[in-house]
Amino acid sequence: MNPGPVRPQSRTRRAAERTVPFGLAVYTIVVLWYTHYGHHPADVTGRRTREPWYTAKTTPAFSDMLAKLRRTITAARHIHNPAGQPGPEEIAAVIRAWEAAAA
């Protein structure tokens, strides 16, 4: 029995029903992160300086937001204790204090 033509699984109706909402969710999360935490006025200026054909660029593109998020995640992986953030010892001390207070 011939099963018919082989179709890539990414081109089925169910795949689109899964991937499109996921893509929209990821897009939304990146834009919200950039809006609340990643935006800096120099981002667009820096892009125009590096790529002079963007003479009229006034707002960051999604690719700019995504690149900044990737750089931020990479930096967070390599910086073990950013300034102002408690380290593991400090967190453990606070947890012990809470446990002692609750006992």
Side-chain angles (χ1 to χ4, degrees):
M1 184 164 147
N2 185 358
V6 177
R7 293 179 53 190
Q9 293 302 308
S10 62
R11 296 192 183 199
T12 65
R13 180 180 178 92
R14 282 190 38 125
E17 290 171 350
R18 286 189 312 263
T19 57
V20 170
F22 180 75
L24 291 172
V26 169
Y27 181 88
T28 302
I29 290 168
V30 170
V31 171
L32 289 173
W33 172 85
Y34 185 82
T35 302
H36 290 284
Y37 304 106
H39 175 71
H40 191 278
D43 290 346
V44 174
T45 305
R47 180 81 184 259
R48 279 198 317 249
T49 303
R50 287 187 310 275
E51 299 167 1
W53 53 89
Y54 282 123
T55 57
K57 186 172 184 68
T58 58
T59 58
F62 180 73
S63 59
D64 298 328
M65 296 177 202
L66 189 57
K68 188 159 191 181
L69 178 58
R70 286 178 176 163
R71 286 192 306 269
T72 302
I73 290 170
T74 300
R77 287 180 179 166
H78 296 288
I79 299 173
H80 298 294
N81 189 12
Q85 297 295 316
E89 300 85 18
E90 294 169 302
I91 293 171
V94 169
I95 292 172
R96 283 191 302 272
W98 286 343
E99 290 170 346

